[in-house]
Structure formats: C-alpha cells, structure tokens
Amino acid sequence: MTARKPDPSSFDLTAIEWTVSKYSGGGGNCVRVGVQDGWVLVGDSQNPDRPPQVFSPAEGKAWLLGAKDTDFDFLLNL
C-alpha cells in the first residue's frame, strides 16, 4: 500500500534546501524543488510561504525522466 501524502502545510519550509534551475535567471520567477522526509516538494519561488505541491519519489522520478526524454518540450514554446 502506498503511503498517504502528507498535508503540504505540515512541512517546515525553512528546513528545506531548495534548488532552482540555472535557467531561471535569478529573477524569482521559477519553481523550486526540495526533498523532506522522502517527499518531493515543488514550490513557487515568488510565494515562498505558500505550501508546496507534494509528490512521491516515484512521481518525481517519472516526471524527471519524462522531461529528460523530451515529453514536455512543448512547454518551451510558451
């Protein structure tokens, strides 16, 4: 059985070591990614106090592998 995802507000956002893309330009207009208690957290760098989206390691891995395999390249045309 898969563990139930925790409520996003239950995480201590100040304790997370966030990573942003080197392509963000440092303008604060990007998503940030971190890990806490084995969960993948995706947050909004413009609203750092807003609760992040929570994904399981398998969900995070599936998205990352899809991005590396060009599944989401259509976003580059936005």
Side-chain angles (χ1 to χ4, degrees):
M1 176 182 250
T2 304
R4 185 174 180 170
K5 289 183 184 180
D7 184 313
S9 64
S10 69
F11 291 98
D12 178 5
L13 302 181
T14 62
I16 298 170
E17 194 170 318
W18 294 102
T19 300
V20 298
S21 170
K22 64 183 173 191
Y23 296 101
S24 70
N29 59 346
C30 59
V31 297
R32 58 189 190 160
V33 179
V35 175
Q36 191 172 76
D37 298 332
W39 296 97
V40 178
L41 308 177
V42 178
D44 179 353
S45 64
Q46 289 183 343
N47 297 291
D49 295 327
R50 176 183 253 166
Q53 295 292 311
V54 180
F55 299 96
S56 70
E59 290 170 323
K61 183 177 180 179
W63 189 89
L64 182 58
L65 290 173
K68 287 183 171 188
D69 200 29
T70 71
D71 292 352
F72 307 111
D73 280 4
F74 67 91
L75 293 171
L76 297 173
N77 296 320
L78 296 177

Coordinates of all heavy atoms in Angstrom, one line a residue:
M1 N 0.8 -1.2 0.0 CA 0.0 0.0 0.0 C 0.9 1.2 0.0 O 1.9 1.3 0.7 CB -0.9 0.0 1.2 CG -1.8 1.2 1.3 SD -2.8 1.2 2.8 CE -4.4 1.0 2.0
T2 N 0.5 2.2 -0.8 CA 1.3 3.5 -0.9 C 0.9 4.4 0.3 O -0.2 4.5 0.7 CB 0.9 4.2 -2.2 OG1 1.2 3.4 -3.3 CG2 1.7 5.5 -2.3
A3 N 2.0 5.0 0.9 CA 1.7 5.9 2.0 C 0.9 7.1 1.5 O 1.1 7.6 0.4 CB 3.1 6.4 2.6
R4 N 0.0 7.6 2.4 CA -0.8 8.7 2.1 C 0.1 10.0 2.1 O 0.9 10.2 3.0 CB -1.9 8.8 3.1 CG -2.9 9.9 2.8 CD -4.0 9.9 3.7 NE -4.9 11.0 3.4 CZ -6.1 11.2 3.9 NH1 -6.5 10.3 4.8 NH2 -6.8 12.2 3.5
K5 N -0.1 10.8 1.1 CA 0.7 12.1 1.0 C 0.3 13.0 2.2 O -0.8 13.1 2.6 CB 0.4 12.8 -0.3 CG 0.9 12.2 -1.5 CD 0.6 13.0 -2.7 CE 1.1 12.3 -3.9 NZ 0.9 13.1 -5.1
P6 N 1.4 13.6 2.8 CA 1.1 14.5 3.9 C 0.5 15.8 3.4 O 0.7 16.2 2.3 CB 2.5 14.7 4.5 CG 3.4 14.3 3.4 CD 2.8 13.4 2.5
D7 N -0.1 16.5 4.4 CA -0.6 17.8 4.1 C 0.6 18.7 3.8 O 1.5 18.8 4.6 CB -1.4 18.3 5.3 CG -2.1 19.7 5.0 OD1 -1.4 20.6 4.5 OD2 -3.2 19.8 5.4
P8 N 0.5 19.5 2.7 CA 1.7 20.4 2.4 C 2.0 21.3 3.5 O 3.2 21.7 3.7 CB 1.2 21.1 1.1 CG 0.2 20.2 0.5 CD -0.5 19.5 1.7
S9 N 1.1 21.8 4.2 CA 1.3 22.7 5.3 C 2.1 22.1 6.5 O 2.5 22.8 7.4 CB 0.1 23.4 5.8 OG -0.8 22.5 6.3
S10 N 2.2 20.8 6.5 CA 2.9 20.1 7.6 C 4.4 20.2 7.5 O 5.1 19.8 8.5 CB 2.4 18.7 7.7 OG 2.9 17.9 6.6
F11 N 4.9 20.6 6.4 CA 6.4 20.7 6.2 C 7.0 22.0 6.8 O 6.3 23.0 6.7 CB 6.7 20.6 4.7 CG 6.5 19.2 4.2 CD1 5.3 19.0 3.5 CD2 7.3 18.2 4.3 CE1 5.0 17.8 2.9 CE2 7.1 16.9 3.8 CZ 5.9 16.7 3.1
D12 N 8.2 21.9 7.3 CA 8.9 23.1 7.8 C 9.7 23.6 6.6 O 10.7 23.1 6.2 CB 9.9 22.7 8.9 CG 10.7 23.9 9.4 OD1 10.5 25.0 8.9 OD2 11.6 23.6 10.2
L13 N 9.1 24.6 5.9 CA 9.7 25.1 4.7 C 11.0 25.7 4.9 O 11.8 25.8 4.0 CB 8.7 26.1 4.0 CG 7.3 25.5 3.6 CD1 6.5 26.6 2.9 CD2 7.4 24.3 2.8
T14 N 11.3 26.2 6.1 CA 12.6 26.8 6.4 C 13.7 25.8 6.4 O 14.9 26.2 6.3 CB 12.6 27.7 7.7 OG1 12.3 26.8 8.8 CG2 11.5 28.7 7.6
A15 N 13.4 24.5 6.7 CA 14.4 23.5 6.8 C 14.7 22.8 5.5 O 15.6 22.0 5.4 CB 13.9 22.4 7.8
I16 N 14.1 23.2 4.4 CA 14.3 22.6 3.1 C 15.4 23.3 2.3 O 15.4 24.5 2.3 CB 13.0 22.6 2.3 CG1 11.9 21.8 3.0 CG2 13.2 22.0 0.9 CD1 10.6 21.9 2.4
E17 N 16.3 22.5 1.8 CA 17.3 23.0 0.9 C 16.7 23.0 -0.5 O 16.7 22.0 -1.2 CB 18.6 22.1 1.0 CG 19.8 22.8 0.3 CD 21.0 22.0 0.7 OE1 21.2 21.6 1.8 OE2 21.8 21.9 -0.3
W18 N 16.2 24.2 -0.9 CA 15.6 24.3 -2.2 C 16.6 24.4 -3.4 O 17.7 25.0 -3.2 CB 14.7 25.6 -2.2 CG 13.5 25.5 -1.3 CD1 13.4 26.1 -0.1 CD2 12.3 24.8 -1.5 NE1 12.2 25.8 0.5 CE2 11.5 25.0 -0.4 CE3 11.8 24.0 -2.5 CZ2 10.2 24.5 -0.2 CZ3 10.6 23.4 -2.4 CH2 9.8 23.7 -1.2
T19 N 16.2 23.9 -4.5 CA 17.0 24.0 -5.7 C 16.2 24.7 -6.8 O 15.0 24.3 -7.0 CB 17.5 22.6 -6.2 OG1 18.2 22.0 -5.2 CG2 18.3 22.7 -7.5
V20 N 16.8 25.6 -7.5 CA 16.1 26.2 -8.7 C 17.0 26.0 -9.9 O 18.2 25.8 -9.8 CB 15.8 27.7 -8.5 CG1 14.9 28.0 -7.3 CG2 17.1 28.5 -8.3
S21 N 16.3 26.1 -11.1 CA 17.0 25.9 -12.3 C 18.1 27.0 -12.6 O 17.8 28.1 -12.3 CB 16.0 25.8 -13.5 OG 16.7 25.9 -14.7
K22 N 19.2 26.6 -13.2 CA 20.2 27.6 -13.6 C 19.7 28.4 -14.7 O 20.2 29.5 -15.0 CB 21.5 26.9 -13.9 CG 21.4 26.0 -15.2 CD 22.7 25.2 -15.4 CE 22.5 24.2 -16.5 NZ 23.7 23.4 -16.7
Y23 N 18.6 28.0 -15.3 CA 18.0 28.8 -16.4 C 17.0 29.8 -15.9 O 16.4 30.6 -16.7 CB 17.3 27.9 -17.4 CG 18.2 26.9 -18.1 CD1 18.3 25.6 -17.7 CD2 19.0 27.4 -19.1 CE1 19.2 24.7 -18.3 CE2 19.9 26.5 -19.8 CZ 20.0 25.2 -19.3 OH 20.9 24.4 -20.0
S24 N 16.7 29.9 -14.6 CA 15.7 30.8 -14.1 C 16.1 32.3 -14.2 O 15.3 33.2 -14.1 CB 15.4 30.5 -12.7 OG 16.5 30.8 -11.8
G25 N 17.4 32.6 -14.3 CA 17.9 33.9 -14.4 C 17.9 34.7 -13.1 O 18.2 35.9 -13.0
G26 N 17.6 34.0 -12.0 CA 17.7 34.6 -10.7 C 16.6 35.7 -10.4 O 16.7 36.4 -9.4
G27 N 15.6 35.8 -11.2 CA 14.6 36.8 -11.0 C 13.4 36.4 -10.1 O 12.5 37.1 -10.0
G28 N 13.5 35.2 -9.5 CA 12.5 34.7 -8.6 C 11.2 34.3 -9.3 O 10.2 34.2 -8.7
N29 N 11.3 34.0 -10.6 CA 10.1 33.6 -11.4 C 10.2 32.2 -11.8 O 10.1 31.8 -13.0 CB 10.0 34.5 -12.6 CG 11.2 34.5 -13.5 OD1 12.3 34.0 -13.2 ND2 11.1 35.0 -14.8
C30 N 10.5 31.3 -10.9 CA 10.7 29.9 -11.2 C 10.1 29.0 -10.1 O 9.8 29.5 -9.0 CB 12.1 29.6 -11.5 SG 13.2 29.9 -10.0
V31 N 10.0 27.8 -10.4 CA 9.7 26.8 -9.4 C 10.9 26.4 -8.7 O 12.0 26.6 -9.2 CB 9.0 25.6 -10.0 CG1 7.7 25.9 -10.6 CG2 9.8 24.8 -10.9
R32 N 10.7 25.9 -7.5 CA 11.8 25.4 -6.7 C 11.5 24.0 -6.3 O 10.3 23.6 -6.1 CB 12.2 26.3 -5.6 CG 11.0 26.5 -4.6 CD 11.3 27.6 -3.6 NE 10.3 27.6 -2.5 CZ 10.5 28.2 -1.4 NH1 11.6 28.7 -1.1 NH2 9.6 28.1 -0.5
V33 N 12.5 23.2 -6.1 CA 12.3 21.8 -5.8 C 13.1 21.4 -4.5 O 14.3 21.9 -4.4 CB 12.7 20.8 -7.0 CG1 12.5 19.4 -6.6 CG2 11.9 21.2 -8.2
G34 N 12.6 20.7 -3.6 CA 13.3 20.2 -2.5 C 12.8 18.9 -2.0 O 11.8 18.4 -2.5
V35 N 13.4 18.3 -1.1 CA 13.1 17.0 -0.5 C 13.0 17.1 1.0 O 13.9 17.6 1.6 CB 14.1 15.9 -1.0 CG1 13.7 14.6 -0.3 CG2 14.1 15.8 -2.5
Q36 N 12.0 16.5 1.6 CA 11.9 16.4 3.0 C 11.1 15.2 3.4 O 10.1 14.9 2.8 CB 11.2 17.7 3.6 CG 11.3 17.7 5.1 CD 10.8 19.0 5.7 OE1 9.6 19.2 5.8 NE2 11.7 19.9 6.0
D37 N 11.7 14.4 4.3 CA 11.1 13.2 4.8 C 10.8 12.2 3.6 O 9.8 11.5 3.7 CB 9.8 13.4 5.6 CG 10.1 14.3 6.8 OD1 11.3 14.2 7.4 OD2 9.3 15.0 7.3
G38 N 11.6 12.2 2.6 CA 11.4 11.4 1.4 C 10.4 11.8 0.4 O 10.1 11.1 -0.6
W39 N 9.8 13.0 0.6 CA 8.8 13.5 -0.3 C 9.4 14.6 -1.2 O 10.2 15.4 -0.7 CB 7.6 14.1 0.4 CG 6.8 13.1 1.2 CD1 7.0 12.8 2.5 CD2 5.8 12.2 0.7 NE1 6.1 11.8 2.9 CE2 5.4 11.4 1.8 CE3 5.3 12.0 -0.5 CZ2 4.4 10.4 1.6 CZ3 4.3 11.0 -0.7 CH2 3.9 10.2 0.4
V40 N 9.0 14.6 -2.4 CA 9.5 15.6 -3.4 C 8.5 16.8 -3.3 O 7.3 16.7 -3.5 CB 9.5 15.1 -4.8 CG1 10.0 16.2 -5.8 CG2 10.4 13.9 -4.9
L41 N 9.1 18.0 -3.0 CA 8.3 19.2 -2.9 C 8.6 20.2 -4.0 O 9.7 20.4 -4.3 CB 8.6 19.9 -1.5 CG 8.5 19.0 -0.3 CD1 8.8 19.7 1.0 CD2 7.1 18.4 -0.2
V42 N 7.5 20.7 -4.6 CA 7.7 21.7 -5.7 C 7.0 23.0 -5.2 O 5.8 23.0 -4.9 CB 7.1 21.2 -7.0 CG1 7.2 22.2 -8.1 CG2 7.8 19.9 -7.4
G43 N 7.8 24.0 -5.1 CA 7.2 25.3 -4.6 C 7.4 26.4 -5.5 O 8.1 26.3 -6.5
D44 N 6.7 27.5 -5.2 CA 6.7 28.7 -6.0 C 7.7 29.7 -5.4 O 7.6 30.1 -4.3 CB 5.3 29.3 -6.0 CG 5.2 30.6 -6.8 OD1 6.2 31.1 -7.3 OD2 4.0 31.1 -6.9
S45 N 8.8 30.0 -6.2 CA 9.8 30.9 -5.6 C 9.3 32.3 -5.4 O 9.9 33.1 -4.6 CB 11.0 30.9 -6.6 OG 10.7 31.5 -7.8
Q46 N 8.2 32.8 -6.1 CA 7.7 34.1 -5.9 C 6.8 34.1 -4.6 O 6.5 35.2 -4.1 CB 6.8 34.6 -7.1 CG 7.7 34.9 -8.3 CD 6.9 35.4 -9.4 OE1 5.7 35.2 -9.5 NE2 7.6 36.0 -10.4
N47 N 6.3 33.0 -4.2 CA 5.5 32.9 -3.0 C 6.1 31.8 -2.1 O 5.5 30.8 -1.9 CB 4.0 32.6 -3.4 CG 3.4 33.6 -4.2 OD1 3.2 34.7 -3.7 ND2 3.2 33.3 -5.5
P48 N 7.2 32.1 -1.5 CA 7.9 31.0 -0.7 C 7.2 30.5 0.5 O 7.5 29.4 1.0 CB 9.3 31.7 -0.3 CG 9.0 33.2 -0.4 CD 7.9 33.3 -1.5
D49 N 6.2 31.3 1.0 CA 5.5 30.8 2.2 C 4.3 30.0 1.9 O 3.6 29.4 2.7 CB 5.1 32.0 3.1 CG 6.3 32.8 3.7 OD1 7.3 32.1 4.0 OD2 6.2 34.0 3.8
R50 N 4.0 29.9 0.6 CA 2.8 29.1 0.1 C 3.2 27.6 0.2 O 4.3 27.3 -0.1 CB 2.5 29.5 -1.3 CG 1.4 28.7 -1.9 CD 1.2 29.1 -3.3 NE -0.1 29.8 -3.4 CZ -0.5 30.5 -4.4 NH1 0.3 30.6 -5.4 NH2 -1.6 31.1 -4.4
P51 N 2.3 26.8 0.7 CA 2.6 25.4 0.8 C 2.9 24.8 -0.6 O 2.3 25.1 -1.6 CB 1.3 24.8 1.3 CG 0.6 25.9 2.0 CD 0.9 27.1 1.2
P52 N 3.9 23.9 -0.7 CA 4.3 23.3 -1.9 C 3.4 22.2 -2.4 O 2.6 21.7 -1.6 CB 5.7 22.8 -1.6 CG 5.6 22.4 -0.2 CD 4.7 23.5 0.5
Q53 N 3.6 21.8 -3.6 CA 2.9 20.6 -4.1 C 3.8 19.4 -3.6 O 5.0 19.5 -3.5 CB 2.9 20.6 -5.6 CG 2.0 21.6 -6.2 CD 0.5 21.4 -5.9 OE1 0.0 20.3 -6.1 NE2 -0.1 22.4 -5.4
V54 N 3.2 18.3 -3.2 CA 3.9 17.2 -2.7 C 3.7 16.0 -3.6 O 2.6 15.7 -4.1 CB 3.3 16.8 -1.3 CG1 4.0 15.6 -0.7 CG2 3.3 18.0 -0.3
F55 N 4.9 15.4 -3.9 CA 4.9 14.2 -4.8 C 5.7 13.1 -4.2 O 6.7 13.3 -3.5 CB 5.5 14.6 -6.2 CG 4.8 15.7 -6.9 CD1 5.1 17.0 -6.8 CD2 3.6 15.4 -7.7 CE1 4.4 18.0 -7.4 CE2 2.9 16.4 -8.3 CZ 3.3 17.7 -8.2
S56 N 5.3 11.9 -4.5 CA 6.1 10.7 -4.0 C 7.4 10.7 -4.8 O 7.5 11.3 -5.9 CB 5.3 9.4 -4.2 OG 5.2 9.1 -5.6
P57 N 8.4 9.9 -4.3 CA 9.6 9.8 -5.1 C 9.3 9.2 -6.5 O 9.9 9.6 -7.5 CB 10.4 8.8 -4.2 CG 9.9 9.1 -2.8 CD 8.5 9.3 -3.0
A58 N 8.4 8.2 -6.6 CA 8.1 7.6 -7.9 C 7.5 8.7 -8.9 O 7.8 8.7 -10.0 CB 7.1 6.5 -7.7
E59 N 6.6 9.5 -8.3 CA 6.0 10.6 -9.2 C 7.1 11.6 -9.6 O 7.2 12.0 -10.8 CB 4.9 11.3 -8.4 CG 3.7 10.5 -8.2 CD 2.7 11.2 -7.2 OE1 3.2 11.8 -6.3 OE2 1.5 11.0 -7.5
G60 N 8.0 12.0 -8.7 CA 9.1 12.9 -9.1 C 10.0 12.3 -10.1 O 10.4 13.0 -11.1
K61 N 10.3 11.0 -9.9 CA 11.2 10.3 -10.9 C 10.6 10.2 -12.2 O 11.2 10.5 -13.3 CB 11.6 9.0 -10.3 CG 12.5 8.2 -11.2 CD 12.9 6.9 -10.6 CE 13.9 6.1 -11.4 NZ 14.3 4.8 -10.8
A62 N 9.3 9.9 -12.3 CA 8.6 9.7 -13.6 C 8.6 11.1 -14.3 O 8.8 11.1 -15.5 CB 7.2 9.2 -13.3
W63 N 8.3 12.2 -13.6 CA 8.3 13.5 -14.3 C 9.7 13.8 -14.8 O 9.9 14.3 -15.9 CB 7.8 14.6 -13.4 CG 7.6 15.8 -14.1 CD1 6.5 16.2 -14.7 CD2 8.6 16.8 -14.4 NE1 6.7 17.4 -15.4 CE2 7.9 17.8 -15.2 CE3 9.9 17.0 -14.0 CZ2 8.6 19.0 -15.6 CZ3 10.6 18.2 -14.5 CH2 9.9 19.1 -15.3
L64 N 10.7 13.6 -14.0 CA 12.1 14.0 -14.4 C 12.5 13.2 -15.6 O 13.1 13.7 -16.5 CB 13.0 13.8 -13.2 CG 14.5 14.2 -13.5 CD1 14.6 15.6 -13.9 CD2 15.3 13.9 -12.2
L65 N 12.3 11.9 -15.6 CA 12.6 11.0 -16.7 C 11.9 11.4 -17.9 O 12.5 11.4 -19.0 CB 12.4 9.5 -16.4 CG 13.3 9.0 -15.3 CD1 12.9 7.5 -15.0 CD2 14.8 9.0 -15.8
G66 N 10.6 11.8 -17.8 CA 9.9 12.3 -18.9 C 10.4 13.6 -19.5 O 10.5 13.8 -20.7
A67 N 10.9 14.5 -18.6 CA 11.5 15.7 -19.1 C 12.8 15.5 -19.8 O 13.0 16.1 -20.8 CB 11.7 16.7 -17.9
K68 N 13.6 14.6 -19.3 CA 14.8 14.3 -19.9 C 14.6 13.6 -21.3 O 15.4 13.7 -22.2 CB 15.7 13.3 -19.0 CG 16.3 14.0 -17.9 CD 17.2 13.1 -17.1 CE 17.9 13.8 -16.0 NZ 18.9 12.9 -15.4
D69 N 13.5 12.9 -21.4 CA 13.1 12.2 -22.7 C 12.3 13.1 -23.6 O 11.7 12.6 -24.6 CB 12.4 10.9 -22.3 CG 12.5 9.9 -23.4 OD1 13.4 9.9 -24.2 OD2 11.5 9.1 -23.6
T70 N 12.2 14.4 -23.4 CA 11.6 15.4 -24.2 C 10.1 15.3 -24.2 O 9.4 16.0 -25.0 CB 12.1 15.4 -25.7 OG1 11.6 14.2 -26.3 CG2 13.6 15.4 -25.8
D71 N 9.5 14.6 -23.2 CA 8.0 14.5 -23.2 C 7.3 15.9 -23.0 O 6.2 16.1 -23.4 CB 7.5 13.6 -22.0 CG 7.9 12.2 -22.3 OD1 8.3 11.8 -23.4 OD2 7.7 11.4 -21.3
F72 N 8.0 16.8 -22.4 CA 7.4 18.1 -22.0 C 8.0 19.3 -22.8 O 7.9 20.4 -22.4 CB 7.6 18.4 -20.5 CG 7.0 17.2 -19.7 CD1 7.9 16.4 -19.0 CD2 5.7 16.9 -19.7 CE1 7.4 15.4 -18.2 CE2 5.2 15.9 -18.9 CZ 6.0 15.1 -18.2
D73 N 8.7 19.0 -23.9 CA 9.3 20.0 -24.7 C 8.3 21.0 -25.3 O 8.7 22.2 -25.6 CB 10.2 19.5 -25.8 CG 11.5 19.0 -25.4 OD1 11.8 19.0 -24.2 OD2 12.3 18.6 -26.2
F74 N 7.0 20.7 -25.4 CA 6.0 21.6 -25.8 C 6.0 22.9 -25.0 O 5.6 23.9 -25.4 CB 4.7 20.9 -25.9 CG 4.1 20.6 -24.6 CD1 3.2 21.5 -23.9 CD2 4.3 19.4 -24.0 CE1 2.7 21.1 -22.7 CE2 3.8 19.0 -22.8 CZ 3.0 19.9 -22.1
L75 N 6.4 22.8 -23.7 CA 6.4 23.9 -22.8 C 7.4 25.0 -23.2 O 7.3 26.1 -22.9 CB 6.7 23.5 -21.4 CG 5.6 22.6 -20.7 CD1 6.1 22.0 -19.4 CD2 4.3 23.4 -20.5
L76 N 8.4 24.6 -24.0 CA 9.4 25.5 -24.4 C 8.9 26.5 -25.4 O 9.5 27.6 -25.6 CB 10.6 24.8 -25.1 CG 11.4 23.8 -24.1 CD1 12.4 23.0 -24.9 CD2 12.0 24.6 -23.0
N77 N 7.7 26.3 -26.0 CA 7.1 27.2 -27.0 C 6.1 28.1 -26.4 O 5.5 28.9 -27.1 CB 6.4 26.3 -28.1 CG 7.4 25.5 -28.9 OD1 8.5 26.0 -29.2 ND2 7.1 24.3 -29.2
L78 N 6.0 28.1 -25.1 CA 5.0 29.0 -24.4 C 5.5 30.5 -24.4 O 6.7 30.7 -24.4 CB 4.7 28.6 -23.0 CG 4.0 27.2 -22.9 CD1 3.9 26.9 -21.4 CD2 2.7 27.2 -23.6

